[in-house]
Amino acid sequence: MGMTPLASPELDERTDERSQASPARPWQTVVWNDPVNLMSYVVYVFRTHFGYSREKATTLMLHVHQDGHAIVAEGAREQMEMHARAMHDYGLWATVREAPE
């Protein structure tokens, strides 16, 4: 009389693959340049919402102005979506994307 295994090898392999999967990549909130908002207002928003220093907020604003966009935050998707909604509430154009590898 032989013993029957509790789990098939295929199931064990799938479990192993799942446990070895790399953690999910972070997400990013991206603010895009627009022809409406003043640079000083964008700095104000970054300082007010994110609590960034004047220097960091100014650097990010300059990226938006010169490069057309800037990554203003990175982390969990839900948090980045909250930041994007807040940027919309301030009148800024923002999107959320998965961080590139």
Side-chain angles (χ1 to χ4, degrees), residues 26-60:
W27 289 73
Q28 299 171 329
T29 301
V30 182
V31 171
W32 299 87
N33 195 25
D34 66 62
V36 178
N37 292 295
L38 297 174
M39 291 187 275
S40 58
Y41 177 70
V42 175
V43 170
Y44 164 80
V45 170
F46 293 166
R47 293 190 73 202
T48 301
H49 179 74
F50 296 105
Y52 292 154
S53 68
R54 180 176 302 281
E55 293 77 18
K56 180 168 183 161
T58 300
T59 298
L60 289 170

Side-chain angles (χ1 to χ4, degrees), residues 2 18 57 77 88 93:
R18 258 195 311 264
R77 182 177 184 170
H88 297 163
W93 179 26

